[in-house]
């Protein structure tokens, strides 16, 4: 593999990075910018370490490139926390264009999934990332994003190969495989890069293996919970970890009964955040499940917020 090593090193990202949902205008497939800025304000008051816009939780596939660019330009100016953005696209040219404009706006880094919808080989994925890195250059730190639930998987071997070039600042590993996390953690000790977990269900184990933080969709609705869990892990408060992790699993067990990321957006609405309608009608049974989730969440949240206090 021919690459040019730029000597990229970890960029200081650690702890909880919130994967933000994207509010949608009623009856439109466009971003509600005002509601987005309110969400950025809400998350800025948490003890999270950064915000990631337009990730899978942010449903970036629903929005035009111009809409995505416009959102980032305003959110960067508004955010009190480091703001990063997912620039994934179905084409290399689209991803490069989004990344260059995000870097110009002042983001702290860009996340990039393999091109979505069509399946690609590991060789094609490698070529895609190397071409992207060459085109974007040093404009912004680049983070690989492995989200096999939504696009082609980046194998651990491919990720290690790419990270060894020094062209990438790190990786968000969302596949949930502890074996892959362990392999990546071993590699990060040999040549440092930022390893982030993208699956809250295994964050306790990922942290023990060497992950520096988590990119969390749950934190969009309940930042207090994920921040409290991360703080307990960092400070060795072992008596708090099982209870907080159990609360994370409870939330996931409920939200996974709904299409992703409907549960997260419904929970955010219960926190008085504007999210707009779901992109796809849920149907009669889905609507019943959504209402059951909202009723459960209303009763669950007060106890969780009390438990999250130091």
């Amino acid at each position: 593999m021919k690459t040019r090593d730029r000597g990229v090193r970890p960029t200081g990202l650690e702890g909880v990075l919130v994967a933000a949902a994207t509010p949608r205008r009623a009856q439109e497939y466009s971003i509600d910018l005002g509601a987005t800025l309110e969400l950025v304000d809400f998350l800025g008051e948490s003890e999270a370490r950064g915000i990631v816009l337009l990730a899978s939780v942010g449903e970036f596939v629903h929005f035009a490139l111009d809409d995505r660019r416009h959102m980032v330009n305003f959110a960067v100016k508004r955010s009190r926390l480091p703001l990063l953005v997912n620039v994934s696209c179905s084409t290399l040219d689209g991803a490069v264009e989004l990344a260059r404009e995000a870097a110009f706006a002042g983001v702290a880094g860009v996340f990039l999934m393999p091109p979505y919808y069509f399946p690609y080989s590991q060789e094609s994925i490698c070529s895609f990332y190397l071409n992207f890195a060459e085109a974007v250059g040093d404009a912004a730190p680049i983070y690989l994003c492995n989200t096999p639930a939504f696009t082609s998987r980046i194998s651990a071997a491919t990720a290690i190969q790419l990270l060894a070039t020094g062209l990438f600042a790190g990786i968000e590993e969302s596949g949930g495989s502890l074996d892959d996390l362990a392999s990546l953690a071993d590699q990060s000790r040999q040549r440092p890069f930022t390893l982030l977990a993208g699956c809250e269900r295994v964050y306790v184990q990922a942290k023990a293996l060497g992950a520096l933080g988590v990119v969390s969709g749950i934190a969009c609705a309940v930042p207090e919970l994920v921040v409290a869990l991360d703080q307990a892990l960092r400070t060795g408060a072992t008596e708090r970890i099982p209870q907080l992790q159990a609360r994370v699993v409870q939330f996931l067990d409920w939200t996974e009964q709904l299409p992703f990321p409907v549960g997260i957006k419904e929970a955010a609405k219960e926190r008085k955040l504007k999210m707009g309608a779901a992109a796809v009608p849920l149907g009669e049974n889905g609507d019943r499940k959504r209402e059951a989730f909202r009723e459960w969440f209303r009763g669950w949240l007060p106890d969780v917020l009390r438990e999250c206090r130091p």
Side-chain angles (χ1 to χ4, degrees), residues 128-167:
F128 169 77
Y129 276 108
L130 292 174
N131 277 276
F132 177 87
E134 188 63 30
V136 172
D138 298 324
I142 303 167
Y143 297 86
L144 311 178
C145 187
N146 183 36
T147 52
F150 303 110
T151 187
S152 299
R153 174 176 177 263
I154 308 173
S155 71
T158 297
I160 288 169
Q161 188 178 13
L162 288 167
L163 291 160
T165 66
L167 298 169

Side-chain angles (χ1 to χ4, degrees), residues 16-241:
V16 177
L17 304 180
V18 181
T22 305
R24 185 171 69 85
R25 291 185 182 279
Q27 308 303 318
E28 296 181 21
Y29 285 102
S30 62
I31 296 169
D32 185 333
L33 183 58
T36 297
L37 297 181
E38 290 176 12
L39 175 61
V40 167
D41 289 344
F42 169 76
L43 297 175
E45 294 173 358
S46 74
E47 294 182 56
R49 303 296 293 273
I51 300 171
V52 183
L53 295 181
L54 295 166
S56 301
V57 173
E59 302 173 287
F60 68 92
V61 293
H62 298 326
F63 305 111
L65 298 191
D66 281 345
D67 215 12
R68 293 166 67 179
R69 285 190 289 259
H70 190 58
M71 173 194 191
V72 171
N73 282 329
F74 278 88
V76 166
K77 296 180 179 70
R78 183 70 162 247
S79 182
R80 306 173 195 174
L81 301 175
L83 192 137
L84 302 96
V85 62
N86 174 39
V87 296
S88 298
C89 190
S90 58
T91 66
L92 173 63
D93 291 345
V96 169
E97 179 183 342
L98 287 169
R100 286 173 173 166
E101 297 199 16
F104 183 76
V107 299
V110 298
F111 284 78
L112 181 65
M113 299 159 52
Y116 56 85
Y117 189 75
F118 297 108
Y120 290 94
S121 68
Q122 295 302 300
E123 181 184 13
S124 294
I125 290 169
C126 234
S127 179
F128 169 77
Y129 276 108
L130 292 174
N131 277 276
F132 177 87
E134 188 63 30
V136 172
D138 298 324
I142 303 167
Y143 297 86
L144 311 178
C145 187
N146 183 36
T147 52
F150 303 110
T151 187
S152 299
R153 174 176 177 263
I154 308 173
S155 71
T158 297
I160 288 169
Q161 188 178 13
L162 288 167
L163 291 160
T165 66
L167 298 169
F168 305 94
I171 181 170
E172 176 197 347
E173 173 51 58
S174 298
S177 167
L178 294 178
D179 288 340
D180 286 356
L181 281 162
S183 296
L184 289 164
D186 286 344
Q187 178 69 13
S188 72
R189 285 185 278 272
Q190 297 173 40
R191 179 178 186 130
F193 59 83
T194 299
L195 174 59
L196 301 167
C199 179
E200 299 101 335
R201 196 177 284 274
V202 299
Y203 183 44
V204 172
Q205 298 96 316
K207 188 74 173 172
L209 289 169
L212 297 179
V214 61
V215 181
S216 171
I218 294 175
C220 180
V222 199
E224 301 89 347
L225 173 57
V226 188
V227 167
L229 176 60
D230 179 70
Q231 289 176 340
L233 290 166
R234 287 192 289 108
T235 60
T238 53
E239 73 285 354
R240 285 172 55 79
I241 293 169

